[in-house]
Amino acid sequence: MRNRNLILILTVLVAAFLVAGCGQMRQLTQAEKDRLDNIAGMLEMAEAKGAKECAPKEYAVAKADLDSARLECTQSWEKCNAGEKPAAEGLKAQQSIDALFKALQVCEDKKKIPTCGLVAEPDTIAPGKCAMLKWSGENVETIVMGPDEKAKGAEKLPLSGLREVCPKVTTDYQMSCVGKYSTNYETATVTVAEPKVVAPPPAPAPVVVAPAPVVKKELALRVNFDTAKWNIRPADLAELQKGVQFLKDNPGAKIHIVGHTDSRGSEKYNQGLSEKRAESVKKYLEGEVEIKPDQITSEGKGESEPIADNKTKQGQFQNRRVMITIK
Amino acid sequence: MKRPWVMLCAIVLCAGLVAGCATANSIQSARKQLEAADKAGAKWSAPHEMFAAEEYLKKAVMEAEEGSPRADVDLFLKKSLDYSAKALQSTKGGAK
């Protein structure tokens, strides 16, 4: 009798668990399926447009919310269809769409690269004289004097302006142009030099016909990259075009391209990234001007040869570079 | 006469505790894998995978806190673990 009671209780418990478990599941209606599939389609389109790369966080949130919405729909009709009512807040499907739109917006904003124009006029002055710094920014949120926009006491400047500077010695003036998602840096140098004394013309020397000196032509260029990226930034196209023009003028010149990274990330990853950066510049040049395969070489040196301090943002930016030598 | 009830209650309690601990352990191990990927620098090499692993882990924790069935929690945990593994892999392969 006792055993029978026990079996009965156990059976009831198992049945209750089963019912509770099955009660959670419901079949999706066609409209619900369509709605979720539409969001999945939008996600695919956004991925094709590069949202995964340019807005990884927002894209991941949208995807996770969509999966969460699918689960929610199998659990409750009310939650699944709340979107059809005006008060759709809290609905996972709606959250997914919101995150997706945010991802697309972030991608659009990231295309807007902050750029600054900074010039010193004149760029060479006599001791005790002054020069004028002129600057203006595009797609920038703030402009800060100095190489580190987050440094304590960093001076914020208007988005365009003029400033008189009277350096005693040759000075580099650096400016951080802070955009919504990235920062660019500009430098203007004011050289302080003694004015040249105009010497009287020397007595005419006897004319000796000498062979014309051989002028060795060489061009060194540098382009920088965004973090973990190897695509060429629009801001660097002008620099690369100098190389293209040089190659057009000197068709047989040899080109050597070396890619570098900052110190963040593993050594192995940075090695691969530096090679991709070098390769990306090589492809650009090959696309612009005819280059024979034996004329061009490229290599990556990873994080092994920094030229600036990897602890500061500007230093990292300077280290994320490709050096191009054409001779 | 009351013994079977006591026994039954004890079994149900133990089962509940075991199930609860198992979920907590799974969440903990997913979190550890995510941290390992982060330490290896996956945020730079595979940002999307890292964010996805983080988001799915959040969903798993949320489902667990809401008392959702174990299968629902596991669904998100598995995705979090998969993304963490992919992110970790990207730091080893150096190919992004």
Side-chain angles (χ1 to χ4, degrees):
Chain A
M1 187 64 185
R2 198 190 291 173
N3 279 347
R4 202 187 283 171
N5 275 346
L6 197 60
I7 289 167
L8 193 66
I9 289 162
L10 279 174
T11 313
V12 169
L13 270 175
V14 169
F17 275 125
L18 279 174
V19 167
C22 294
Q24 299 272 348
M25 297 290 289
R26 60 179 283 272
Q27 207 66 13
L28 266 61
T29 65
Q30 194 56 43
E32 290 164 354
K33 268 186 198 167
D34 288 347
R35 202 167 59 222
L36 294 170
D37 288 347
N38 275 344
I39 302 173
M42 284 158 71
L43 268 166
E44 272 175 30
M45 271 168 58
E47 187 180 349
K49 281 186 177 176
K52 208 170 166 180
E53 284 77 30
C54 58
K57 185 173 185 181
E58 290 75 9
Y59 184 81
V61 170
K63 214 170 170 184
D65 278 339
L66 177 62
D67 282 344
S68 201
R70 277 192 199 282
L71 184 70
E72 204 174 59
C73 278
T74 61
Q75 288 171 344
S76 136
W77 185 91
E78 285 79 13
K79 279 185 183 177
C80 187
N81 290 283
E84 290 174 356
K85 296 171 190 170
E89 283 173 23
L91 179 77
K92 301 281 191 311
Q94 190 58 45
Q95 285 174 5
S96 175
I97 295 172
D98 291 348
L100 187 58
F101 282 134
K102 201 174 168 194
L104 294 172
Q105 185 60 50
V106 168
C107 290
E108 279 304 306
D109 288 346
K110 280 190 178 174
K111 281 180 195 163
K112 296 173 190 165
I113 294 165
T115 48
C116 279
L118 172 66
V119 286
E121 283 181 4
D123 59 1
T124 305
I125 54 168
K129 298 286 178 187
C130 297
M132 196 64 88
L133 288 180
K134 289 182 184 175
W135 71 90
S136 64
E138 207 176 307
N139 299 325
V140 290
E141 292 202 324
T142 47
I143 296 181
V144 174
M145 198 60 160
D148 186 0
E149 72 272 20
K150 283 179 186 161
K152 208 176 173 186
E155 183 193 0
K156 272 192 182 179
L157 299 171
L159 298 186
S160 65
L162 289 170
R163 174 173 291 189
E164 194 181 50
V165 288
C166 310
K168 287 177 183 163
V169 291
T170 298
T171 307
D172 285 338
Y173 292 93
Q174 291 179 316
M175 210 167 252
S176 305
C177 316
V178 188
K180 199 170 180 181
Y181 294 100
S182 59
T183 302
N184 259 329
Y185 305 93
E186 278 297 331
T187 305
T189 305
V190 177
T191 308
V192 180
E194 291 291 341
K196 282 179 187 169
V197 179
V198 181
V207 179
V208 178
V209 180
V214 179
V215 180
K216 197 181 178 188
K217 279 191 172 180
E218 188 174 326
L219 182 69
L221 300 169
R222 187 176 92 183
V223 289
N224 293 94
F225 290 81
D226 291 328
T227 301
K229 297 274 164 61
W230 59 87
N231 55 306
I232 290 157
R233 303 174 321 135
D236 284 324
L237 290 176
E239 187 75 353
L240 286 175
Q241 278 301 318
K242 286 182 196 167
V244 171
Q245 192 53 51
F246 187 91
L247 286 165
K248 280 178 182 167
D249 297 341
N250 305 275
K254 298 268 182 198
I255 310 142
H256 186 53
I257 302 166
V258 187
H260 301 267
T261 68
D262 61 36
S263 64
R264 294 173 298 169
S266 71
E267 246 176 63
K268 202 170 181 181
Y269 169 72
N270 282 334
Q271 180 58 38
L273 184 59
S274 66
E275 284 165 16
K276 280 180 180 173
R277 283 177 178 164
E279 193 58 30
S280 154
V281 169
K282 187 181 166 195
K283 274 187 186 156
Y284 176 84
L285 293 176
E286 284 172 339
E288 290 287 310
V289 64
E290 199 179 318
I291 300 169
K292 289 176 193 157
D294 64 340
Q295 229 182 305
I296 189 163
T297 50
S298 72
E299 64 176 319
K301 293 206 167 171
E303 59 185 71
S304 63
E305 290 182 10
I307 53 166
D309 186 1
N310 266 312
K311 284 177 191 158
T312 67
K313 269 194 167 187
Q314 199 206 4
Q316 291 166 357
F317 177 74
Q318 287 176 340
N319 289 334
R320 293 192 301 270
R321 71 201 190 277
V322 160
M323 309 295 292
I324 308 144
T325 315
I326 311 174
K327 50 185 171 184
Chain B
M1 190 64 186
K2 282 180 183 175
R3 254 198 191 163
W5 286 102
V6 174
M7 190 74 149
L8 193 65
C9 283
I11 290 169
V12 168
L13 190 66
C14 285
L17 280 174
V18 168
C21 289
T23 306
N25 286 340
S26 304
I27 289 175
Q28 196 56 28
S29 73
R31 191 167 281 148
K32 271 186 186 166
Q33 182 153 328
L34 184 63
E35 281 168 6
D38 193 12
K39 271 185 191 165
K43 238 176 201 168
W44 304 109
S45 56
H48 169 259
E49 282 72 12
M50 280 297 287
F51 285 125
E54 212 174 305
E55 275 309 308
Y56 280 112
L57 181 59
K58 273 187 207 166
K59 299 269 179 222
V61 171
M62 209 171 73
E63 290 293 331
E65 282 172 357
E66 283 175 3
S68 299
R70 178 78 200 269
D72 294 353
V73 180
D74 285 350
L75 181 81
F76 291 128
L77 276 180
K78 189 182 175 306
K79 290 206 172 194
S80 175
L81 283 166
D82 287 349
Y83 275 115
S84 293
K86 269 187 203 170
L88 199 58
Q89 191 58 37
S90 77
T91 63
K92 289 170 187 165
K96 186 210 155 192

